[in-house]
Amino acid sequence: IKNKFVESKQLFISSHNFEFFNLLKEWFLSNKEIKKDNRALFLIERPNNGVVRDAEIKCIHKLLEDFKSEYHFLFWLIYRFKEAPSTDFRQLYNLPNLMRRYLEAFLGFKVPKHVGLETKLEFLIDDKIVRERVLKFIHHYSHGNSLSRALNFPDLQECTDIVKIVIDAVESKDKLHFDSLVEVVNPIIA
């Protein structure tokens, strides 16, 4: 597509495949010849109100334009919190789940064995006490096993400490990967 339609003045490409969409998006966003004012990315939404199924063409959500994957998005949320901790309740309440999902993805690539998160975390965090603290944070606050636990959320200091531990460990264990993640998210840190 890139080579065949390079001279096109207008091109419409439609796909259900998210990986293909990401390839096209990278092409559009990295191609200096395609000016920002001369391109648009859209999403077709098919809302179902129970009676009629319509299709609506909408501009793509900024998150889909900015991030190549959920992994990049999760890192951005966590890294942004590390750089500017917030007492926003939604952020504090969701942070343990975000940390769990990020760690599962990161460690899934780094430690591809069929072992649990606890074992994989040994690769990232050497100190057993610190590792247990991270595990308690992501287990306790992301599993609402009881009503009292479901109503609890971590305080700002605990969130700040755990995020710093994890981000610093990722940077220490894989500096090249960490630096490339920061490079990807820095333009959209705000």
Side-chain angles (χ1 to χ4, degrees), residues 95-124:
L95 199 54
N97 286 312
L98 297 173
M99 295 292 295
R100 169 185 286 285
R101 290 181 67 121
Y102 175 76
L103 286 169
E104 287 172 341
F106 176 77
L107 293 169
F109 286 106
K110 290 297 187 182
V111 186
K113 299 178 204 170
H114 292 288
V115 294
L117 182 60
E118 292 83 3
T119 302
K120 289 182 178 188
L121 201 56
E122 292 173 12
F123 163 82
L124 186 62

Side-chain angles (χ1 to χ4, degrees), residues 83-173:
E83 296 300 302
S86 166
T87 56
D88 176 45
F89 175 77
R90 288 173 296 189
Q91 232 181 351
L92 295 177
Y93 190 76
N94 288 315
L95 199 54
N97 286 312
L98 297 173
M99 295 292 295
R100 169 185 286 285
R101 290 181 67 121
Y102 175 76
L103 286 169
E104 287 172 341
F106 176 77
L107 293 169
F109 286 106
K110 290 297 187 182
V111 186
K113 299 178 204 170
H114 292 288
V115 294
L117 182 60
E118 292 83 3
T119 302
K120 289 182 178 188
L121 201 56
E122 292 173 12
F123 163 82
L124 186 62
I125 301 170
D126 298 324
D127 185 303
K128 185 177 180 175
I129 294 171
V130 174
R131 190 168 57 245
E132 285 298 320
R133 187 174 175 200
V134 171
L135 283 169
K136 180 181 183 277
F137 178 81
I138 62 176
H139 286 326
H140 181 78
Y141 292 115
S142 65
H143 292 103
N145 295 340
S146 67
L147 183 58
S148 63
R149 185 183 274 189
L151 296 175
N152 285 337
F153 65 94
D155 67 20
L156 179 62
Q157 189 59 55
E158 181 69 2
C159 289
T160 303
D161 291 349
I162 298 299
V163 166
K164 180 174 177 10
I165 290 166
V166 169
I167 292 292
D168 289 352
V170 169
E171 182 177 19
S172 172
K173 290 290 182 179

